[in-house]
Amino acid sequence: MPASAPVHNTPGRRRFLRGCTGDVPLRPPWALDESRFTEACTGCGDCLAACSEQVLVRGGGGLPVFDPRRGECTFCGECAAVCKAPAFASRDSEPWALQAHIGEACLAANGIVCASCRDACGESAIHFPPTRAVPQPQVLAERCTGCGACVSSCPVAAISLLHAPQLETVDA
């Protein structure tokens, strides 16, 4: 495997046997950890209806997922506010531990000038250090909120959001 290829965790045996071979879904902001969220969420859809940005969609099992390809989460908190089930943490806490990851399909990484991700990021979390060659994007972890604005703006779908623990398993 080339050194620049992403390395992903292999799903555990238990997850495989339950049919969960993919990554942990991107849940709405302030959602409890995956096991507690899936136990508590009724799939009623109230959070989907409350999302003014329409970035929450019905996912597997009828439960809500955040789809950053549809746009950015503004962290308005309405999804958590309307939920009648105990599926969300306090909105006083961090909304989630998501962070942008720029993959190999990035136009800049392939010698084509592009900065759409930087331009879309309201937090200035994507930086292009000056260079004589085509500048390469860098995600500034301390600024990235995982809102997804960069995901929907990327013309080649080279950006994904990863849960913070997964970032340690990716060799960018």
Side-chain angles (χ1 to χ4, degrees), residues 8-166:
H8 298 284
N9 284 334
T10 304
R13 182 176 175 191
R14 185 176 304 151
R15 286 180 46 98
F16 176 77
L17 293 173
R18 288 190 319 207
C20 301
T21 57
D23 293 326
V24 175
L26 302 178
R27 296 295 181 197
W30 296 287
L32 298 175
D33 66 76
E34 185 64 10
S35 63
R36 293 189 309 158
F37 182 80
T38 56
E39 286 179 26
C41 180
T42 64
C44 69
D46 287 351
C47 60
L48 304 178
C51 181
S52 60
E53 301 302 323
Q54 298 182 342
V55 294
L56 296 181
V57 297
R58 196 169 299 279
L63 302 181
V65 294
F66 168 52
D67 184 355
R69 297 170 299 178
R70 297 176 61 108
E72 124 184 54
C73 178
T74 59
F75 305 108
C76 68
E78 287 302 311
C79 55
V82 300
C83 184
K84 295 170 191 73
F88 291 89
S90 165
R91 287 182 287 157
D92 294 333
S93 62
E94 291 294 317
W96 53 36
L98 297 178
Q99 190 172 81
H101 169 73
I102 302 171
E104 293 177 1
C106 173
L107 292 175
N110 290 287
I112 300 169
V113 175
C114 178
S116 61
C117 56
R118 178 197 62 200
D119 297 343
C121 183
E123 300 296 321
S124 300
I126 301 179
H127 175 66
F128 284 79
T131 180
R132 291 180 187 241
V134 175
Q136 303 297 302
Q138 295 177 352
V139 177
L140 304 175
E142 66 278 3
R143 290 188 175 183
C144 183
T145 63
C147 72
C150 58
V151 174
S152 62
S153 71
C154 181
V156 294
I159 304 175
S160 57
L161 296 179
L162 298 177
H163 295 277
Q166 289 178 314

